[in-house]
Structures are given as structure tokens and as C-alpha cells.
Amino acid sequence: MLRALLLVLLLTFLLMPESFDPILRPLVQQNAPAIYNQGSLLTLTLLHLRTVAIATTAAILVAVPMAILVTRPIGAEFLPLSRGLVNIGQTFPPVAVLALAVPTLGFGEKPTLVALFLYGLLPIFENTLTGLTTLPPSVMEAARGTGMTGLQRLFKVELPLATPVILAGIRLSVVISLATATIGSTVAAKTLGEVIIAGLQANNLAFILQGGLIVGALAILIYDTLSAVERVAARRTGLNVR
């Protein structure tokens, strides 16, 4: 019920932000706008989500195959190298990645996508690796005993059983990216960071609060949605995930 109420409040605010003016008015100076008026909050939210979705999809397409490769005999020796690569995003702060990417890619969404992509690799890679290397030995032996090939075991046994753990990594990556994407507005990317930056520049607490609360609400709702998907996948595999 609380999550449903949060969703209703979020949609109401994005579609009819002016209705919240009386609540936010005490937070601003006299004659200053209480509702962000330099663009559409709904549009910025959708663009923010699009940026996160693109970066996360790219991270999945790289991290999952990489983890699969290093769990095969042919690619086991590349595990240290792979771990080093996916740790780059955690080693360099997103702000530093943006600073390095802007001279090459210019201002806008592209540097932000690079930063979010690098930042999102580690949780997806590590969870996929964990999911594939902690499978019940009895199940794997049974799969081999039925005469399955390596590819058949991968797609029919290993990946289905590892799906809940992989989804947990994706969930973590998405939530991290939702918060981190706000810094993209420092290089002219269209994200909810625009609202926060505008509030800082104008000393407008209401703007800062709006940007932060929208990102926080999105993080909670998406976290819960992905957690529900994870639980469904766990039940199908016979695992118990809270």
C-alpha cells in the first residue's frame, strides 16, 4: 500500500506539480518559484530514466557475457583481467570519468552514458560470476549425466538457476545509476540533476528537494519492482530469496 501511494504521489507531482505549490512555498524566499519552472519535470524524469536504461542495458550486454566467458575452461585465465576492467568504474569517480570523456565526446548525454556504463559493470559482473560458480554440484552432475553439451547446460541449467542472483546485480546497478545520473547535468545532459543544480544556483531549497525526492522515489519503486521480479525467478528455480 505504501509503495502504491508513493507511485500515485509521484505521478501526481510529475503531471500536476503546481498542486504541490502550497506545500513547497514555505521553503523558498519571497517571490521565488516553489515549483521548478525551467523545464518539464515529467520530461526530465523520462530522459533521466532513458539514460539509466541505456547505460544499464549496455552494462548487461558486456558484463554478463564476460562473466560467462571466465567461468568456462577456455576463459578462466582471463578472470583477473576481467575483474580489473570492471573495477575501473569503481576506481575512477563518475565526475572524473565525465571530465575525461567530455573532451572526446563533447557535452551532453554521451559522457554520462560512459560514466554510468563503467559504474554499473561491477555489480552485474560479480553477481553473474557468483551465480554461475555457486550452482549445486548435484544439479550440474545430473545435467552432464543426461548428455547435455556445454552450451545446453549453460542455457538450460546454469543461466536459469543463476537468474535470481544476476537480477540482484542488475537491481543494484540500476539503483546506483539512478542516483549517479544526476551528475550528468553538470555536462549538459538532460537529467533530474538539472533541477538540483538550478536549486543550488538560486539558493532554492524547493528545487533541490524536488529533484532529490523524485530520484529517491524512482529508486524505491524500481528497487521494489526488480526485487519482485527476482523473487518470481527464485521461486521458479526453487530458491528462497527474500
Side-chain angles (χ1 to χ4, degrees), residues 45 50 101 151 157 159 167 171 200 204 210 233:
T45 300
R50 185 190 71 174
L151 283 178
V157 179
L159 286 176
L167 288 174
R171 169 166 49 88
L200 291 172
N204 189 319
Q210 286 164 61

Side-chain angles (χ1 to χ4, degrees), residues 16 18 49 78 81 93 123 131 200 220:
M16 297 182 294
E18 64 281 352
L49 290 173
F78 296 105
L81 174 61
L200 291 172
I220 292 172

Side-chain angles (χ1 to χ4, degrees), residues 67-232:
I68 292 173
L69 174 64
V70 298
T71 56
R72 307 301 101 180
I74 193 175
E77 61 184 283
F78 296 105
L79 178 58
L81 174 61
S82 299
R83 275 217 165 102
L85 290 175
V86 299
N87 271 293
I88 290 176
Q90 305 294 324
T91 303
F92 291 95
V95 174
V97 176
L98 288 176
L100 293 172
V102 165
T104 303
L105 301 175
F107 288 90
E109 186 181 34
K110 291 180 180 179
T112 307
L113 289 173
V114 171
L116 295 183
F117 165 74
L118 292 175
Y119 218 56
L121 284 173
L122 182 62
I124 299 174
F125 175 82
E126 288 295 344
N127 274 53
T128 303
L129 189 64
T130 299
L132 292 174
T133 55
T134 57
L135 297 172
S138 59
V139 174
M140 297 306 298
E141 285 299 323
R144 292 188 184 93
T146 60
M148 285 186 177
T149 65
L151 283 178
Q152 287 175 327
R153 289 197 302 272
L154 174 64
F155 289 105
K156 293 184 178 182
V157 179
E158 296 180 56
L159 286 176
L161 288 175
T163 294
V165 183
I166 296 172
L167 288 174
I170 294 173
R171 169 166 49 88
L172 179 59
S173 180
V174 170
V175 172
I176 291 173
S177 293
L178 275 170
T180 308
T182 55
I183 68 169
S185 292
T186 60
V187 292
K190 289 290 183 180
T191 73
L192 288 165
E194 273 193 20
V195 186
I196 298 172
I197 292 173
L200 291 172
Q201 292 176 337
N203 193 27
N204 189 319
L205 181 59
F207 284 7
I208 299 172
L209 193 62
Q210 286 164 61
L213 287 179
I214 293 173
V215 173
L218 289 172
I220 292 172
L221 292 170
I222 292 175
Y223 181 94
D224 283 354
T225 299
L226 293 177
S227 293
V229 173
E230 183 185 338
R231 287 193 294 270
V232 171

